[in-house]
Amino acid sequence: MPAGRRDPAAQSARRPPPLLPLLLLCVLGAPRGGSGAHTAVISPQDPTLLIGSSLLATCSVHGDPPGTTAEGLYWTLNGRRLPPELSRVLNASTLALALANLNGSRQQSGDNLVCHARDGSILAGSCLYVGLPPEKPVNISCWSKNMKDLTCRWTPGAHGETFLHTNYSLKYKLRWYGQDNTCEEYHTVGPHSCHIPKDLALFTPYEIWVEATNRLGSARSDVLTLDILDVVTTDPPPDVHVSRVGGLEDQLSVRWVSPPALKDFLFQAKYQIRYRVEDSVDWKVVDDVSNQTSCRLAGLKPGTVYFVQVRCNPFGIYGSKKAGIWSEWSHPTAASTPRSERPGPGGGACEPRGGEPSSGPVRRELKQFLGWLKKHAYCSNLSFRLYDQWRAWMQKSHKTRNQVGRTLPDSRRGTRDRPTPALAGEREATRIESSGSGDVLWGLSREGEDPVPRNPRPI
């Protein structure tokens, strides 16, 4: 062998043997290691008991090996040695065990009850199943995302935990005819759920139920009757964007796209928006969004970061009169309102595009604006864009007056604050004049003077 290389056989001999993993398995009649001349039996074998029951078990040794008697035997449960006072010798080869007021099994595959010889070797083992029969499954809910599949989930029951392995089967069939079918794709959206991927009929109600079985019994849920068209849902609306509305410090604009999964089907959708401030966990929900894909949040706090989410509910699919199921909320989208020196109302409402604002203060302000405009400008072609510029101009004027007031000397500030006859005649006026390039926003004018445009810009 070349120098520097080790003998593989010698290296293998020096390597320690691998550790055997500890497997919590139920050992049935395991022979004593190394003897092979005798066996032991635990009775009863693999019992199933209700919580709170008592158990009397025996370990009987067969054969006559030297030193193996009932006095040298002991019990373990899940690897822990049981106190000797729980055992009693019945005869030279039989050791009895009495357990009272049993708790639920620590593992659903059964607790390990093992009989040991004096030297600790395993003579026999038994699985001990202690638990509860299943209760009737409740709260079955189902939904479909493409009108070809169906996903359902349920709650195990009032107590839920049975301490035993419990099998749940989702069954379904057409209401008036057809045979029972069993769902096959389980745990798709949680531990108690199942997905039916195809072969479902439309315009025909289905009956759906869940059966639960374990070693102590079985239970069946109430039957849920549904039409696939009545349980349609969608993914959350994608591409949610939140932005400022010009210089308005109390509003944010929210826009989103309709879920693409149902664009090929005849349906309408209604939306909900919820929002919260950055340092809060409490969401405020806006319900009056209708079927629009844009909305304004009004009455917000200036200079504040808001998180916004949107969800969708389809309805009217193929003429169905029932609303669908709300989708999950979209991922949060953040935006901040402009800062302001004056406190905002701090309310919050939705101003749908093209509709009347739903906020009380905003509605009153808009009515004042429209009334003034009708009286002085005789303009019937109005828009939210014009209203936004009018509000932005008003807020800018308010800030300018505040800044001038702070920069004036104390000796002049009192005079400045008092209205003068010249300023008393000054009116804040907005006039619209149509031109080929669009509408122009005009500025202040005094009574008796021609209105002069100040920084005119297209609307």
Side-chain angles (χ1 to χ4, degrees):
M1 176 178 296
R5 296 185 62 182
R6 298 181 180 178
D7 184 1
Q11 186 176 2
S12 176
R14 289 192 297 269
R15 186 182 297 125
L19 296 176
L20 296 178
L22 180 59
L23 301 178
L24 296 179
L25 300 177
C26 294
V27 184
L28 304 179
R32 181 178 181 181
S35 67
H38 69 280
T39 59
V41 176
I42 293 180
S43 179
Q45 188 66 229
D46 304 337
T48 301
L49 303 169
L50 285 169
I51 292 178
S53 300
S54 300
L55 172 68
L56 179 61
T58 59
C59 177
S60 301
V61 179
H62 299 280
D64 192 17
T68 304
T69 61
E71 294 181 353
L73 306 180
Y74 68 90
W75 298 88
T76 62
L77 182 63
N78 292 329
R80 298 183 62 181
R81 186 165 180 168
L82 296 177
E85 56 267 20
L86 299 179
S87 303
R88 179 168 59 93
V89 176
L90 296 183
N91 51 51
S93 61
T94 304
L95 180 68
L97 173 69
L99 298 175
N101 195 22
L102 293 171
N103 295 321
S105 296
R106 295 177 58 185
Q107 50 195 22
Q108 291 187 350
S109 59
D111 291 336
N112 298 287
L113 182 62
V114 181
C115 178
H116 296 264
R118 186 187 300 273
D119 60 1
S121 58
I122 296 175
L123 297 179
S126 176
C127 288
L128 184 59
Y129 301 97
V130 182
L132 297 170
E135 294 187 348
K136 180 175 71 174
V138 294
N139 300 331
I140 302 176
S141 60
C142 303
W143 62 91
S144 174
K145 286 192 174 182
N146 56 18
M147 294 190 290
K148 297 178 182 179
D149 72 336
L150 192 67
T151 302
C152 299
R153 61 185 171 196
W154 59 91
T155 304
H159 296 93
E161 180 62 62
T162 64
F163 300 95
L164 302 173
H165 175 71
T166 302
N167 183 60
Y168 293 92
S169 298
L170 179 73
K171 303 291 184 69
Y172 63 98
K173 73 181 185 75
L174 294 174
R175 183 175 185 180
W176 293 295
Y177 56 90
Q179 60 182 3
D180 294 357
N181 300 282
T182 302
C183 183
E184 297 181 356
E185 298 182 9
Y186 289 90
H187 313 298
T188 53
V189 292
H192 304 292
S193 63
C194 194
H195 178 241
I196 306 171
K198 58 182 180 179
D199 299 330
L200 294 172
L202 299 179
F203 308 105
T204 303
Y206 276 91
E207 292 183 349
I208 300 173
W209 68 96
V210 177
E211 296 178 355
T213 57
N214 66 13
R215 287 174 168 267
L216 288 174
S218 62
R220 173 173 167 163
S221 70
D222 295 332
V223 176
L224 172 67
T225 302
L226 59 83
D227 192 315
I228 303 297
L229 296 180
D230 295 335
V231 294
V232 177
T233 187
T234 69
D235 292 324
D239 300 328
V240 178
H241 298 281
V242 184
S243 59
R244 295 180 178 181
V245 184
L248 301 181
E249 72 270 11
D250 65 339
Q251 294 188 22
L252 287 174
S253 175
V254 186
R255 297 178 181 274
W256 59 92
V257 177
S258 297
L262 294 178
K263 284 188 175 180
D264 296 333
F265 302 103
L266 299 176
F267 84 107
Q268 294 179 332
K270 57 182 179 180
Y271 299 93
Q272 272 187 347
I273 296 177
R274 70 176 184 179
Y275 64 96
R276 64 174 177 87
V277 296
E278 184 178 20
D279 56 352
S280 174
V281 296
D282 298 325
W283 294 88
K284 294 183 179 180
V285 179
V286 180
D287 290 314
D288 56 352
V289 185
S290 184
N291 62 346
Q292 301 178 91
T293 55
S294 64
C295 173
R296 288 188 188 178
L297 300 177
L300 305 179
K301 297 179 179 179
T304 305
V305 176
Y306 284 89
F307 288 90
V308 181
Q309 291 179 297
V310 185
R311 67 176 180 174
C312 174
N313 186 343
F315 67 94
I317 300 178
Y318 288 147
S320 175
K321 296 182 180 180
K322 294 184 179 180
I325 297 176
W326 285 106
S327 70
E328 300 293 333
W329 290 101
S330 64
H331 293 295
T333 304
S336 63
T337 53
R339 294 186 177 276
S340 174
E341 297 180 0
R342 60 177 181 176
C350 182
E351 288 190 17
R353 299 288 294 183
E356 183 180 1
S358 58
S359 171
V362 176
R363 183 187 295 112
R364 289 193 298 269
E365 188 176 82
L366 181 59
K367 291 178 65 177
Q368 293 174 0
F369 165 68
L370 295 178
W372 186 94
L373 200 60
K374 182 178 180 181
K375 179 178 179 181
H376 295 277
Y378 303 100
C379 177
S380 59
N381 186 16
L382 304 179
S383 66
F384 265 100
R385 192 172 181 181
L386 171 62
Y387 169 65
D388 293 342
Q389 292 190 4
W390 178 75
R391 288 200 65 195
W393 181 84
M394 292 288 291
Q395 292 169 1
K396 184 177 180 181
S397 300
H398 178 81
K399 294 177 183 177
T400 303
R401 287 194 296 271
N402 288 342
Q403 293 174 358
V404 172
R406 285 196 299 270
T407 57
L408 288 176
D410 294 339
S411 60
R412 296 184 58 191
R413 186 168 302 171
T415 306
R416 178 73 178 181
D417 292 340
R418 292 193 298 269
T420 63
L423 293 179
E426 186 176 16
R427 298 183 303 173
E428 294 181 353
T430 304
R431 179 177 177 182
I432 305 299
E433 289 194 0
S434 299
S435 63
S437 59
D439 294 333
V440 176
L441 182 64
W442 292 68
L444 292 177
S445 65
R446 297 175 180 268
E447 289 185 351
E449 297 182 1
D450 293 330
V452 180
R454 298 187 180 181
N455 299 326
R457 56 180 176 177
I459 297 179

